[in-house]
Amino acid sequence: MAERAPEGWHGWDTYAPFYDWENARTLGRRDVAFWVETLRDTQGHVLELGCGTGRLLAPIARSWITVGAESPRRLMGIDRSAPMLARARRRVSRVPRAARPLLMRGDVRALPVRPRTLGGVVAAYGLLQSLLSDRDLDATLLAAATALGSGGMLGIDLVPDLSVWEEYTQRVPLRGRLSAGTTLTLVESVRQERRKGLTIFDEEYVERRGRHVRRHAFQLTFRTLPMAQILARLERVGFRIDAVYGSYNGDPWHSEAGVWLVVARRR
Ligand SMILES: C[S@@+](CC[C@H](N)C(=O)[O-])C[C@H]1O[C@@H](n2cnc3c(N)ncnc32)[C@H](O)[C@@H]1O
């Protein structure tokens, strides 16, 4: 049978039950203050692309709560994966109703949003690296530009580590307790397709409860472009670049920086 071409949205449904567990052991909350601060003065509604389990939506929404008042702006999230969104729905249900984010199931390449109605769009934690072709990336940037009003902000966080990730087969980078009586082991293989800029993770989560073992295997693929190409693509669809940072503390960007952050404005 012919192998299906990888898509950046593949794999996330199976990953969903383990995403927060893994994330708590890797990125954690390191980017949260950056997004809260960057969005503090945004005028109008804000949409997070690929909002996943609502890891960022919930704390950002809480930071917008003004005592006794309904927030005039709404935080929203869109994701293609129903299991990721189900987790987000549970997480945001704990945010007070007046500030609770709205969740949508859909694809970031074709946003179900009226033109020029948003004040901000966020593409956090490598979301743009889930778009595996120039066409898909440009469609997403254009969809964001179309949804934003003039002066609207697009914030991007790219993960440069992916393109220099060591290749290996069947390593165990993480192991620990999932819940009382259940342990989890991540078995991971990584391969680079340098000509296409792709990094491919073959993941297997092994869940053990007593003598019962369940295996959850999936593949995630990411594409990393040089910063100059990202900036040129943003300008081409109508953004001007406001700032490029190399850390969540706002240090200046350089090509070896461990974090690549871009803040752009709709012209
Ligand atoms: C790295 S996770 C980021 C989740 C969240 N933003 C965070 O920072 O924790 C990427 C998310 O993007 C979603 N995604 C990938 N490609 C997508 C697409 N084309 N349209 C909508 N969602 C997509 C995945 O389902 C996944 O939930």
Side-chain angles (χ1 to χ4, degrees):
M1 202 168 69
E3 221 176 273
R4 65 178 184 168
E7 290 268 5
W9 53 267
H10 288 165
W12 297 95
D13 288 1
T14 314
Y15 188 12
F18 313 111
Y19 180 82
D20 288 328
W21 181 89
E22 179 174 338
N23 206 272
R25 288 158 177 78
T26 53
L27 180 70
R29 292 178 56 84
R30 257 181 293 145
D31 57 344
V32 172
F34 172 82
W35 289 114
V36 166
E37 195 50 45
T38 301
L39 296 170
R40 189 178 302 286
D41 299 321
T42 311
Q43 304 291 317
H45 307 310
V46 172
L47 174 66
E48 190 196 351
L49 309 181
C51 61
T53 61
R55 186 183 67 85
L56 290 172
L57 285 180
I60 295 167
R62 286 202 178 85
S63 78
W64 286 7
I65 294 173
T66 44
V67 180
E70 177 105 12
S71 175
R73 53 185 180 159
R74 217 1 115 186
L75 188 58
M76 299 178 282
I78 185 166
D79 204 286
R80 187 166 171 138
S81 164
M84 293 293 272
L85 275 179
R87 277 161 172 42
R89 203 156 284 124
R90 276 209 290 284
R91 187 177 247 143
V92 304
S93 70
R94 297 191 289 270
V95 174
R97 193 178 292 277
R100 194 171 297 160
L102 298 175
L103 299 174
M104 300 181 261
R105 180 148 186 238
D107 198 294
V108 299
R109 293 168 287 188
L111 295 176
V113 177
R114 275 184 291 128
R116 298 191 167 264
T117 52
L118 299 182
V121 171
V122 169
Y125 198 28
L127 177 272
L128 291 184
Q129 289 160 285
S130 285
L131 298 150
L132 304 186
S133 66
D134 286 349
R135 196 176 61 169
D136 287 351
L137 177 59
D138 289 346
T140 305
L141 297 180
L142 183 61
T146 305
L148 284 166
S150 177
M153 197 263 321
L154 171 63
I156 298 171
D157 181 7
L158 301 168
V159 181
D161 276 12
L162 292 172
S163 62
V164 291
W165 208 285
E166 187 193 347
E167 293 182 290
Y168 48 78
T169 305
Q170 301 260 303
R171 271 201 195 157
V172 176
L174 289 173
R175 178 183 277 140
R177 212 177 74 113
L178 178 63
S179 58
T182 305
T183 62
L184 208 52
T185 306
L186 170 61
V187 183
E188 182 175 80
S189 302
V190 181
R191 141 174 96 75
Q192 299 281 1
E193 277 191 26
R194 296 203 194 278
R195 207 174 41 80
K196 295 181 181 163
L198 299 181
T199 311
I200 299 133
F201 289 81
D202 281 297
E203 309 282 81
E204 186 177 57
Y205 273 95
V206 184
E207 206 178 337
R208 283 199 176 81
R209 191 175 176 83
R211 285 189 296 112
H212 297 281
V213 179
R214 285 180 68 193
R215 295 174 188 278
H216 311 260
F218 57 96
Q219 189 174 77
L220 298 175
T221 306
F222 302 95
R223 178 176 184 242
T224 308
L225 292 181
M227 178 64 95
Q229 271 206 44
I230 297 284
L231 301 183
R233 282 170 193 282
L234 284 167
E235 284 175 341
R236 216 175 299 144
V237 295
F239 287 101
R240 69 178 155 74
I241 311 303
D242 247 17
V244 186
Y245 301 115
S247 81
Y248 295 119
N249 297 323
D251 295 316
W253 179 81
H254 55 92
S255 60
E256 305 297 311
V259 175
W260 290 12
L261 294 163
V262 180
V263 178
R265 298 253 163 218
R266 180 78 168 95
R267 281 198 294 268

